[in-house]
Amino acid sequence: DDQNENGVNESQLQLRDFILSKILNNNTNRKIVCALGNFKDKSGVALVILEKNAFKEEELNEKGYFSEDSELRTFFQNDIYGNYVCFPNSSINGVKTTIIYPATEKHIAKYSQQEVHIILETPQLYQKYTLSHLAKEQFNLQWVYNILEGKSEQDRVVYDNKCEKEGFVLLPDLKWDGLTKETLYLLAIVRQREIKSLRDLNEGHLPLLKRVRDEGKKAILDKYNVPGSQLRIYLHYQPSFYHLHIHFTYLKHEAPGIYAEKSHLLDAVIDNIEMMNDYYQKATLPFTIREMDTLFNVYETNGYIKRIKENIELIDK
Amino acid sequence: DDQNENGVNESQLQLRDFILSKILNNNTNRKIVCALGNFKDKSGVALVILEKNAFKEEELNEKGYFSEDSELRTFFQNDIYGNYVCFPNSSINGVKTTIIYPATEKHIAKYSQQEVHIILETPQLYQKYTLSHLAKEQFNLQWVYNILEGKSEQDRVVYDNKCEKEGFVLLPDLKWDGLTKETLYLLAIVRQREIKSLRDLNEGHLPLLKRVRDEGKKAILDKYNVPGSQLRIYLHYQPSFYHLHIHFTYLKHEAPGIYAEKSHLLDAVIDNIEMMNDYYQKATLPFTIREMDTLFNVYETNGYIKRIKENIELIDK
């Protein structure tokens, strides 16, 4: 494979060369499918994630969905209700595609459908199990450092505060196309490298957190014309990588991972620390975990959680 | 228009004749858009509802998405991650289309969405605006008292602890069919009548809250065979009615209103009060509000929030 000077892989993969081995997950609500397989004549496995795009409002006109090109096929009509399938011009009907290649076991686990549980992580459990586990299992953070050092994705950066202590880079999340207001999703990655997650935060970080909130809101208002009162600004616990980052999504957008068991609003985080400096060192933090995750095994082995039996009875039986 | 013998309107509507007047709703999670408009040369208004289809597994092969027809356009590549847009053959990329014509005012209201904002409610704002507002605007709680007094829905009760101080009634939420495990949703309504919401809770309520958690979990395990570690147990702020109630949903079920800006896990609530008796009297609690809500007017009039202007510019314009 070819690599450019930043270590970025430039060779073009083609979907026609993809050989499916297994569908890991098919979310029929969000219309996302995750496929595991390999590319012809390439070693190692690959993940292909396909996601139907949300509708863009500017395509709902006589040049887009309401044009001559939109073929309508009738399923049925009953009184004032009619059901059809429409085949629009393919240029407005793209499918968001993510390819991870080569993919590791951990990527495969991340994208597989699993039984999910909640664990209540006390500060003691964090110290004893989570912390030592994540030190061992940490994903490679090279892609984060590439962004912070200006080696990758520089054309995507929306805002950059270069202060080593309170600075951060704001850029569109991988899940966002960077254009559609309805699905607005940006990520602020802080420049400090030693903050792993929510658990590490205390009053020393308040200036940083407030800067991310206030400057992030302003940059998004300036560039995308979305006011701060319509932004959901939050941290995940557990995060998917242990370098502090803050999510910005449009409030109307039901982005993945915004549920109460996973997301902590930045304003609530700031308020908690202002009320109690060591709130995040003292609090019991719930987090969700899938049975396939290696951290699940740690908590299971120590008796904190039980795996669902394959033959569990359903309600209706 | 032609009608056949079943009263079914047979004239074929065509999307190319649809003239958009307004987008009522754009659900970017489920990829559904609702458009209001009219058809050329036809009287009355129409609703056109477009929904991207979920992926069919039989199309994930060399004749479908992984065929020569799938054109891949690169957004960017960074290390092992690549983002693309794929334009598959239009025959496998149909869009579910529903047309309601002629549509009534009620259809339009049903399919409309509102602008939503987050308000950060300090204890002072709660006292000054929210509390006095909810005293005036409170919905009638007679239906709640009917359940507690055994006058209504008694055949639906799953568990009943009759203690006036620490008791509660557990029953399926109105949104749940009471059968399908995948969408499990129950509600615990406490017997004490003076607790309006999260804001009123302190250490005096800990025995009640723990009883709801522990006895609720056990009742659900006994009846539905869902273990406590797979339940999302939470309170809403603001709640939809001001008599303390606790939601129980299946963790895998993406129920409405489970987002971080609206839901507070019961375990986190208990932990917060154990750390600080008056946590919920001191905390700044965020809540979401629609521009149509009367409480929005109160905060708007006092300068805490701004309505979105109709002519707000979109990102791309």
Side-chain angles (χ1 to χ4, degrees):
Chain A
D1 293 358
D2 303 323
Q3 292 208 335
N4 72 5
E5 70 268 30
N6 298 325
V8 174
N9 189 324
E10 297 280 16
S11 78
Q12 173 72 57
L13 300 165
Q14 293 294 343
L15 286 185
R16 64 172 172 267
D17 295 330
F18 184 73
I19 301 151
L20 176 80
S21 54
K22 192 180 175 190
I23 291 165
L24 298 182
N25 196 350
N26 190 2
N27 186 323
T28 53
N29 177 17
R30 295 174 182 267
K31 287 96 181 189
I32 305 175
V33 71
C34 290
L36 175 69
N38 62 283
F39 285 97
K40 205 165 62 184
D41 304 329
K42 289 189 187 272
S43 60
V45 295
L47 289 176
V48 173
I49 299 131
L50 301 172
E51 175 175 358
K52 297 286 176 87
N53 283 319
F55 290 94
K56 292 185 188 158
E57 309 205 345
E58 65 269 25
E59 289 169 350
L60 296 167
N61 59 25
E62 73 288 351
K63 287 180 185 160
Y65 284 92
F66 308 136
S67 77
E68 296 279 343
D69 292 341
S70 287
E71 191 207 329
L72 207 58
R73 205 174 297 162
T74 307
F75 276 137
F76 70 86
Q77 282 190 273
N78 180 356
D79 192 39
I80 62 170
Y81 304 98
N83 258 28
Y84 312 84
V85 60
C86 154
F87 297 97
N89 188 310
S90 97
S91 67
I92 58 167
N93 204 10
V95 172
K96 198 166 124 39
T97 304
T98 305
I99 299 177
I100 302 177
Y101 171 75
T104 66
E105 282 300 316
K106 251 188 268 173
H107 290 106
I108 296 170
K110 176 175 173 183
Y111 286 97
S112 296
Q113 165 101 56
Q114 279 288 305
E115 291 293 340
V116 189
H117 299 263
I118 288 186
I119 285 179
L120 296 175
E121 185 196 72
T122 62
Q124 295 72 35
L125 290 175
Y126 172 71
Q127 291 295 335
K128 197 163 173 191
Y129 301 123
T130 308
L131 185 59
S132 59
H133 172 79
L134 71 88
K136 268 185 295 185
E137 299 284 330
Q138 170 67 299
F139 276 108
N140 189 320
L141 291 175
Q142 193 53 51
W143 69 274
V144 174
Y145 303 146
N146 283 347
I147 291 170
L148 294 177
E149 291 165 11
K151 292 179 182 167
S152 287
E153 304 187 46
Q154 286 314 288
D155 50 328
R156 303 177 71 240
V157 169
V158 169
Y159 181 80
D160 191 351
N161 178 325
K162 293 192 187 293
C163 171
E164 277 307 314
K165 194 163 160 48
E166 296 174 15
F168 65 98
V169 172
L170 181 72
L171 78 176
D173 185 87
L174 283 177
K175 289 184 282 301
W176 189 40
D177 64 9
L179 288 172
T180 314
K181 175 183 170 182
E182 290 71 24
T183 54
L184 181 141
Y185 196 146
L186 295 102
L187 217 54
I189 301 176
V190 306
R191 291 202 169 272
Q192 280 194 56
R193 295 194 180 192
E194 72 277 17
I195 314 172
K196 288 184 290 301
S197 76
L198 203 54
R199 271 282 181 214
D200 289 339
L201 295 176
N202 58 44
E203 64 185 0
H205 303 106
L206 286 176
L208 166 64
L209 297 176
K210 289 179 180 179
R211 211 169 258 269
V212 167
R213 177 187 64 187
D214 299 338
E215 295 178 14
K217 274 186 187 176
K218 179 159 189 326
I220 289 172
L221 179 64
D222 290 349
K223 175 141 185 172
Y224 303 109
N225 205 13
V226 173
S229 69
Q230 297 204 299
L231 291 174
R232 182 190 295 110
I233 310 174
Y234 55 102
L235 293 83
H236 280 157
Y237 195 77
Q238 304 286 338
S240 60
F241 58 96
Y242 288 86
H243 173 110
L244 194 74
H245 56 285
I246 295 97
H247 306 255
F248 289 72
T249 58
Y250 187 43
L251 194 54
K252 274 197 259 185
H253 177 43
E254 300 177 10
I258 59 176
Y259 308 136
E261 64 270 21
K262 170 123 183 161
S263 285
H264 299 254
L265 292 193
L266 178 57
D267 275 309
V269 170
I270 291 171
D271 190 51
N272 283 334
I273 296 172
E274 286 184 330
M275 288 197 291
M276 198 188 294
N277 170 29
D278 54 356
Y279 180 96
Y280 288 101
Q281 291 78 57
K282 279 193 174 162
T284 293
L285 298 178
F287 67 85
T288 58
I289 189 158
R290 296 168 316 160
E291 293 188 353
M292 174 187 268
D293 295 330
T294 50
L295 187 55
F296 184 91
N297 293 331
V298 176
Y299 278 92
E300 187 188 27
T301 307
N302 290 285
Y304 290 95
I305 193 80
K306 259 194 210 154
R307 201 171 289 270
I308 298 295
K309 295 239 168 46
E310 276 297 317
N311 59 353
I312 191 163
E313 281 172 51
L314 294 177
I315 290 174
D316 308 330
K317 289 179 185 169
Chain B
D1 293 358
D2 303 324
Q3 291 208 336
N4 72 5
E5 70 269 30
N6 298 322
V8 173
N9 189 326
E10 294 283 17
S11 78
Q12 173 71 56
L13 299 166
Q14 293 294 347
L15 287 185
R16 64 170 172 269
D17 296 329
F18 184 73
I19 301 152
L20 175 79
S21 54
K22 194 177 175 191
I23 291 164
L24 298 182
N25 195 349
N26 189 1
N27 187 320
T28 53
N29 174 24
R30 295 170 189 268
K31 286 96 183 189
I32 304 175
V33 71
C34 289
L36 175 69
N38 62 282
F39 285 97
K40 206 163 63 184
D41 303 329
K42 289 188 186 273
S43 59
V45 294
L47 289 176
V48 172
I49 299 134
L50 301 172
E51 176 175 358
K52 297 287 175 86
N53 282 320
F55 289 94
K56 291 184 188 152
E57 310 208 344
E58 64 267 27
E59 290 169 349
L60 295 167
N61 59 25
E62 73 288 351
K63 287 179 186 160
Y65 283 93
F66 308 135
S67 78
E68 296 279 342
D69 292 340
S70 288
E71 191 208 328
L72 207 57
R73 204 173 297 162
T74 307
F75 276 137
F76 70 87
Q77 283 189 271
N78 177 356
D79 193 39
I80 62 171
Y81 305 99
N83 257 30
Y84 312 84
V85 59
C86 155
F87 298 96
N89 189 310
S90 98
S91 67
I92 58 168
N93 205 8
V95 172
K96 193 164 131 34
T97 304
T98 305
I99 299 177
I100 303 178
Y101 171 76
T104 66
E105 281 301 316
K106 250 188 262 175
H107 289 110
I108 295 169
K110 177 175 172 184
Y111 286 98
S112 294
Q113 201 194 6
Q114 279 288 308
E115 292 294 339
V116 190
H117 299 263
I118 289 187
I119 285 179
L120 296 176
E121 186 196 70
T122 62
Q124 295 73 34
L125 291 176
Y126 173 70
Q127 291 297 335
K128 197 164 172 190
Y129 301 122
T130 308
L131 186 58
S132 59
H133 172 80
L134 70 89
K136 269 186 293 185
E137 300 282 329
Q138 171 65 301
F139 278 108
N140 190 321
L141 292 174
Q142 194 52 52
W143 69 273
V144 174
Y145 303 147
N146 285 345
I147 291 171
L148 294 177
E149 290 164 11
K151 293 177 182 168
S152 289
E153 304 186 48
Q154 287 312 289
D155 51 327
R156 303 177 71 239
V157 169
V158 169
Y159 181 79
D160 191 351
N161 179 324
K162 294 193 187 293
C163 170
E164 277 307 315
K165 195 165 157 48
E166 296 174 13
F168 66 98
V169 172
L170 181 72
L171 77 175
D173 185 89
L174 284 177
K175 288 183 284 299
W176 188 40
D177 64 9
L179 288 172
T180 314
K181 176 183 169 182
E182 287 69 27
T183 54
L184 181 140
Y185 196 146
L186 295 101
L187 217 54
I189 301 176
V190 307
R191 291 201 168 274
Q192 280 193 56
R193 294 193 180 192
E194 71 280 16
I195 315 172
K196 287 185 292 303
S197 76
L198 202 53
R199 271 282 180 214
D200 289 338
L201 295 175
N202 58 45
E203 66 186 357
H205 303 106
L206 287 175
L208 165 64
L209 296 175
K210 289 178 180 177
R211 210 170 260 268
V212 168
R213 177 187 64 189
D214 299 340
E215 295 178 13
K217 273 185 189 177
K218 182 163 186 323
I220 290 172
L221 179 65
D222 289 350
K223 175 142 186 169
Y224 303 109
N225 204 13
V226 173
S229 69
Q230 297 204 297
L231 291 174
R232 181 190 295 112
I233 310 173
Y234 56 101
L235 293 82
H236 279 158
Y237 196 77
Q238 304 285 340
S240 60
F241 58 97
Y242 289 86
H243 174 111
L244 194 75
H245 57 284
I246 296 96
H247 306 255
F248 289 73
T249 57
Y250 186 44
L251 195 54
K252 273 198 258 186
H253 176 43
E254 299 180 9
I258 58 175
Y259 308 135
E261 64 271 20
K262 169 124 184 159
S263 284
H264 299 253
L265 291 192
L266 179 57
D267 275 309
V269 170
I270 290 171
D271 190 52
N272 284 333
I273 297 172
E274 286 183 332
M275 288 197 290
M276 198 190 293
N277 171 29
D278 55 356
Y279 180 95
Y280 288 101
Q281 290 79 57
K282 278 194 176 163
T284 293
L285 298 178
F287 67 85
T288 58
I289 189 157
R290 297 172 312 164
E291 292 188 355
M292 167 191 274
D293 296 330
T294 52
L295 187 55
F296 184 91
N297 293 331
V298 177
Y299 278 92
E300 187 188 27
T301 308
N302 290 285
Y304 289 95
I305 194 79
K306 261 194 208 152
R307 199 172 290 270
I308 298 295
K309 297 236 170 45
E310 276 296 317
N311 59 353
I312 192 162
E313 282 171 50
L314 294 175
I315 289 173
D316 305 329
K317 288 177 184 170

